[in-house]
Amino acid sequence: MTFQDAPDAKIPVPRGPVPVVPPPRPRRAVELTIDGQSVAVPEGATLLEAARQIGIDTPTLCFLENLTPVNVCRICVVEVEGSRTLVPACSRKAEPGMVVHTDSERVRLSRRMVLELLGSSVDLSTAPQIAGYMERYDAHPERFGPPAPPARDHERDLARPGHHPAPHNGQTATGGQPVKVDNELYVRDYSKCILCYKCVEACGTDAQNTFAIALAGRGFEARISTEYDVPLPDSACVYCGNCIGVCPTGALMFKSEFDLRQAEAWDESRQTATDTICPYCGVGCTLTVHVQDEKIVKVTSPIDHDVTNGHLCIKGRFGWEFVNRRE
Amino acid sequence: MDLHFTAHEPDPEEMEAVDRLLSGLPLNGHRRQYLLPVLHAIQDRKGWISPGALNYACQRLEVPPAEAFGVADFYALFQTRPHPPVTVHVCDDIACHARGAEALCAEVRTALGPEGESRDGHATWHRSPCLGLCERAPAALVVAAGDPPRDQALAPATGGDVLSAAVGVAIPQPDLAASVPQIGQPGLKLLARVGRIDPTSLDDYRAAGGFLALRRAFEMGPAAVVREVVESKLVGRGGAAFPTGIKWQGARSAALPRYLVCNADESEPGTFKDRVLMENDPFALIEAMTIAGFATGCEKGFLYLRGEYPLALARIENALQRCRERGFLGEDILGDGVRFDIELRRGAGAYICGEETALMNSLEGRRGEPRNKPPFPTEAGLFGQPTVINNVETLVNVLPIVIEGGKAFAAIGTERSTGPKLFCVSGHVKRPGVYEAPFGITLGELIDLAGGFGGTGRIQAILLGGAAGAFVTPDHLDAPLTFEGTRAIGATLGSAVVMPFDDTVDLRQILRRIAQFFRDESCGQCVPCRVGTVRQEELLHRLATDRPLGSLAAELALLKELGQAMRDASICGLGQTASGAIESALARLPIYQEKTL
Ligand SMILES: Cc1cc2nc3c(=O)[nH]c(=O)nc-3n(C[C@H](O)[C@H](O)[C@H](O)COP(=O)(O)O)c2cc1C
Ligand code: SF4
Ligand code: SF4
Ligand code: SF4
Ligand code: FES
Ligand code: FES
């Protein structure tokens, strides 16, 4: 048997240039009606794409252009005439003759409720996009009652599926728990996790193919975890940081940003972002380098960049750590 | 795949358990599908799944350990932390609650210590949702790891029986008549053989008319079988009431290979009909699956059996073996050149795996998270291939349809609900059990069949259709038990649960337990259900403990909004129905009134 002990220093290959594929056969146009306007989209387009085409802004949380839709957050639901339930715009394909309502009473109620349910259970303080949605849908998460105190370290990781403590003192359960700080490069604050699956997808077949993290547990105790909650250095993680890049809530955060925030020194108004080509290898990934007070505080990559799709490897993402440290 | 493992090593027993299970299996292609069977093998041997054992399983199956852990940690029957070898699962769900579950829990607590703890390191206990033994409530399931593992379902269970079973004593169970009071009555179609033949004997089954339908189906040909099923107007008995013939017709034009799946995950609280069929007439299910596979062009069937059904497991395993030996399954069935076989898979404690797409994920070795539909299973189901999935009872109905013809079948019952039906009667009736009656029998007539109301006889409410169903009152006794008849009274037939509660039962606790059930069983994928079921339980808890947030009216309004969002925006039927029974109770029963708070 060959078990590896420590994570070895394998350097992942970033998603390379997409090979040129022959032009697809001409796709038929699908005509449908959204909020009273008729719209034609190519066959296979989603309701989200169709709505965007006519300028209707649909909120999304778990959807990202460079990841497979998981349609789990349900903030994007719309009403399709003839359908018993609402449908997720991000993944439902447009069909000829569909009549869609994106702002009906039912749609607004479900969107508001999704926001209130998230707001009542997740720390959204570093998720400005969601704060905007809250305002737009007049969401009041506090109406479910006062939050219960946060869990102890690793307590949520030990939950048994199908079991939970009875509600207590009229308090509402939350995902509150201590931040997981187990390496020098990034932290995981799962009290901020909305379980959008993006990090798992980025770590898995959608980008990184490392599978260091996955969904564990069930129901409200479902969570992102390594096997048996082992610290990241014991896991398969190769610190590509692609999970950080896709996380919409700041649950996954550069240690540099986390430390500055802890010191109340994080200040985006003092930051610049500059695009450059990663110097480490010949692939040519675009890096967006974020600098505050002459120090690199994080590195991202544009999601629409055709080489990276927003994804990088440890060298591009964290190589600057050495630059900073040498100073 | 380039996988990374922690330093944990398996012990020899764990390796042997995994190797034994995998020996002889074709470990190519979809090898991940053996993840649940492998996890069962480890759990059965050691009582928990250690990091070393998981590493070994992942090596053999080429599954990333983080993902495999996430799968193990999804299912209630798998322990992912050090755990004693013997676990007692004590049902505290609604039918058992009405019949002494709390007293049983108290006895077990006295003997074994607080829930989840272990005095001697040998045994511990946990509360459990419905174990599918409601007709003999209160129920317990004793799971003892070892080689071989020994699992025993006890119902009615006493503290003493539980303790004896925990140390390996076999506890005799009541006569089948306690579960099927109609045994031997003339005119039964689905229960005709139950209790009358030896369920382990293929010869007995054949002597009682077994495999005549299969022969007949082979003579007719697949298209004609599907035609008869269409004509029978059979609709699914798994809860969603979808026309079986239409499902089969759709499958016949789909791509190959196709798969047949029998949904035997029966976990809806109050439901136990499929268990009774599988324990007592297992060959009938195999024959019916073979006909279904033949008619829809599937050469491979999967039978996904609820993990908490040890007796059904043994009976089906035996029946499959006998059928293979005698050429009723395999490469050349009845010498007619038809190829079909069935793989038996065990669930592992997750109600959501009864949802058809969650079940398929579970079969593929994944977490039981439902998939978004469309695409529907008949287009893209198991392993992405077209898949026909049917409930146990649905399939067994195909036997009389083939023998007597679709028309004769359609003449039974009502215009829109055809055929015979099994009802799961528990709670406060004099003779709980599975009852067969044609569709259209009224609620009152069914209760009479079960000996009339039991308990104090003063009935407050009757739950129809299970936790995903609705409450009705004794005013509804004239309602015909059909799909349309139950809809007319704002209820649903669901999985044909009929569960009356007398006036000693605290309905506030029943509603709270139902809310707890949905919270515990939510897969956790989508926000409306993952968090909505939590907020719903908290709200009912506030009401049951007389501490509403604001006024009662405000709480009820909030509950209604929650219900609507769960119904409208959840991915699957679990979230969509999680508030139904609760809302029906609050609407028609005087449980909460402004003055009671
Ligand atoms: C949460 C949930 C649980 C379910 N559980 C079961 C079950 O235990 N057994 C079953 O046959 N169907 C169950 N179903 C229904 C299945 O999804 C599916 O409709 C059924 O297996 C189809 O078979 P049928 O047409 O023969 O009824 C469940 C559905 C949901 C939403
Ligand atoms: S940094 Fe994130 S995406 Fe990259 S390997 Fe580690 S867990 Fe996976
Ligand atoms: S950690 Fe971030 S990316 Fe991952 S599921 Fe949670 S919110 Fe989504
Ligand atoms: S409705 Fe509930 S059970 Fe169904 S997918 Fe959503 S979270 Fe899972
Ligand atoms: S964005 Fe569509 S479900 Fe999350
Ligand atoms: S076995 Fe206890 S409620 Fe069904």
Side-chain angles (χ1 to χ4, degrees), chain A residues 74 143 163-164 173 221, chain B residues 73 127 519-520 538 561 569:
Chain A
R74 318 305 279 184
R143 66 195 184 115
H163 294 79
H164 69 274
E221 284 68 34
Chain B
D73 203 44
R127 288 170 182 265
R519 175 194 165 154
D520 280 338
E538 288 165 351
E561 273 186 55

Side-chain angles (χ1 to χ4, degrees), chain A residues 70-200:
Chain A
V70 285
N71 39 259
V72 295
C73 76
R74 318 305 279 184
I75 187 98
C76 69
V77 286
V78 296
E79 191 169 348
V80 173
E81 284 186 12
S83 166
R84 183 174 49 87
T85 59
L86 303 179
V87 308
C90 64
S91 56
R92 184 57 173 266
K93 302 259 187 292
E95 291 164 28
M98 263 186 174
V99 180
V100 181
H101 305 280
T102 72
D103 202 33
S104 64
E105 222 16 74
R106 271 175 83 192
V107 169
R108 292 187 65 85
L109 182 136
S110 280
R111 289 184 182 173
R112 174 166 51 80
M113 193 57 86
V114 163
L115 289 165
E116 290 178 338
L117 292 172
L118 285 177
S120 68
S121 55
V122 183
D123 169 4
L124 298 172
S125 59
T126 49
Q129 178 203 22
I130 302 183
Y133 292 159
M134 291 269 188
E135 214 160 294
R136 174 167 160 193
Y137 289 98
D138 193 25
H140 295 281
E142 64 285 353
R143 66 195 184 115
F144 292 112
R152 291 184 311 275
D153 209 7
H154 302 292
E155 187 181 346
R156 277 181 66 80
D157 299 294
L158 293 172
R160 297 185 68 251
H163 294 79
H164 69 274
H168 181 62
N169 263 343
Q171 293 171 336
T172 57
T174 76
Q177 59 188 303
V179 187
K180 290 186 197 291
V181 185
D182 56 14
N183 67 87
E184 279 305 304
L185 299 180
Y186 76 100
V187 305
R188 298 174 291 151
D189 183 355
Y190 290 127
S191 18
K192 293 179 173 173
C193 175
I194 58 168
L195 230 59
C196 69
Y197 288 55
K198 284 176 176 170
C199 53
V200 174

Side-chain angles (χ1 to χ4, degrees), chain B residues 235-244 247 263-268 273-274 351-357 359 373 389-392 394-395 518 572-575 577:
Chain B
V235 305
R237 308 297 200 229
F242 189 84
T244 308
K247 194 183 277 186
N263 188 340
D265 194 42
E266 188 167 74
S267 312
E268 180 70 42
K273 62 191 178 63
D274 297 343
Y351 165 66
I352 189 55
C353 287
E355 196 282 337
E356 54 192 16
T357 59
L359 187 154
K373 292 188 264 190
I389 179 163
N390 279 117
N391 168 262
V392 173
T394 312
L395 288 164
F518 285 112
C572 85
L574 188 148
T577 59

Side-chain angles (χ1 to χ4, degrees), chain A residues 50-69:
Chain A
R52 281 182 178 170
Q53 190 172 314
I54 51 172
I56 295 170
D57 174 31
T58 306
T60 62
L61 290 173
C62 64
F63 175 79
L64 202 62
E65 283 74 3
N66 60 355
L67 301 174
T68 314

Side-chain angles (χ1 to χ4, degrees), chain B residues 530-561:
Chain B
R530 177 178 75 240
V531 194
T533 55
V534 175
R535 298 295 174 249
Q536 174 172 269
E537 189 202 8
E538 288 165 351
L539 197 155
L540 288 168
H541 197 267
R542 291 197 295 268
L543 294 186
T545 52
D546 286 358
R547 10 177 8 157
L549 202 62
S551 64
L552 173 67
E555 290 278 41
L556 294 183
L558 186 57
L559 190 70
K560 217 168 151 185
E561 273 186 55

Side-chain angles (χ1 to χ4, degrees), chain A:
Chain A
M1 208 180 355
T2 55
F3 284 124
Q4 289 165 260
D5 290 338
D8 65 7
K10 59 184 171 209
I11 301 299
V13 183
R15 244 198 194 179
V18 182
V20 183
V21 285
R25 67 185 170 83
R27 289 194 293 177
R28 279 185 301 132
V30 172
E31 279 181 51
L32 66 161
T33 309
I34 303 184
D35 295 345
Q37 297 186 56
S38 59
V39 49
V41 291
E43 194 180 352
T46 61
L47 294 180
L48 179 67
E49 290 164 330
R52 281 182 178 170
Q53 190 172 314
I54 51 172
I56 295 170
D57 174 31
T58 306
T60 62
L61 290 173
C62 64
F63 175 79
L64 202 62
E65 283 74 3
N66 60 355
L67 301 174
T68 314
V70 285
N71 39 259
V72 295
C73 76
R74 318 305 279 184
I75 187 98
C76 69
V77 286
V78 296
E79 191 169 348
V80 173
E81 284 186 12
S83 166
R84 183 174 49 87
T85 59
L86 303 179
V87 308
C90 64
S91 56
R92 184 57 173 266
K93 302 259 187 292
E95 291 164 28
M98 263 186 174
V99 180
V100 181
H101 305 280
T102 72
D103 202 33
S104 64
E105 222 16 74
R106 271 175 83 192
V107 169
R108 292 187 65 85
L109 182 136
S110 280
R111 289 184 182 173
R112 174 166 51 80
M113 193 57 86
V114 163
L115 289 165
E116 290 178 338
L117 292 172
L118 285 177
S120 68
S121 55
V122 183
D123 169 4
L124 298 172
S125 59
T126 49
Q129 178 203 22
I130 302 183
Y133 292 159
M134 291 269 188
E135 214 160 294
R136 174 167 160 193
Y137 289 98
D138 193 25
H140 295 281
E142 64 285 353
R143 66 195 184 115
F144 292 112
R152 291 184 311 275
D153 209 7
H154 302 292
E155 187 181 346
R156 277 181 66 80
D157 299 294
L158 293 172
R160 297 185 68 251
H163 294 79
H164 69 274
H168 181 62
N169 263 343
Q171 293 171 336
T172 57
T174 76
Q177 59 188 303
V179 187
K180 290 186 197 291
V181 185
D182 56 14
N183 67 87
E184 279 305 304
L185 299 180
Y186 76 100
V187 305
R188 298 174 291 151
D189 183 355
Y190 290 127
S191 18
K192 293 179 173 173
C193 175
I194 58 168
L195 230 59
C196 69
Y197 288 55
K198 284 176 176 170
C199 53
V200 174
E201 292 203 292
C203 191
T205 44
D206 276 353
Q208 183 54 35
N209 275 306
T210 294
F211 307 97
I213 46 174
L215 265 287
R218 183 166 93 193
F220 191 69
E221 284 68 34
R223 60 197 182 272
I224 309 294
S225 180
T226 58
E227 62 272 30
Y228 297 93
D229 183 34
V230 298
L232 276 182
D234 294 345
S235 79
C237 179
V238 295
Y239 304 100
C240 64
N242 290 331
C243 52
I244 316 170
V246 296
C247 180
T249 62
L252 306 178
M253 193 179 272
F254 286 79
K255 180 83 167 19
S256 46
E257 174 172 349
F258 176 74
D259 288 342
L260 284 172
R261 282 184 187 272
Q262 291 290 95
E264 294 184 20
W266 179 259
D267 185 355
E268 287 180 12
S269 67
R270 301 213 308 270
Q271 292 174 11
T272 56
T274 315
D275 282 1
T276 171
I277 301 291
C278 179
Y280 285 101
C281 75
V283 173
C285 302
T286 297
L287 306 181
T288 306
V289 180
H290 303 251
V291 173
Q292 178 181 327
D293 307 333
E294 285 158 40
K295 269 197 153 168
I296 300 172
V297 291
K298 67 176 173 185
V299 168
T300 57
S301 186
I303 186 174
D304 53 1
H305 180 45
D306 57 6
V307 175
T308 66
N309 286 310
H311 305 307
L312 295 170
C313 77
I314 181 172
K315 296 199 222 167
R317 185 84 66 184
F318 291 109
W320 53 272
E321 282 278 333
F322 303 102
V323 179
N324 276 357
R325 241 178 255 162
R326 254 187 269 128
E327 282 168 13

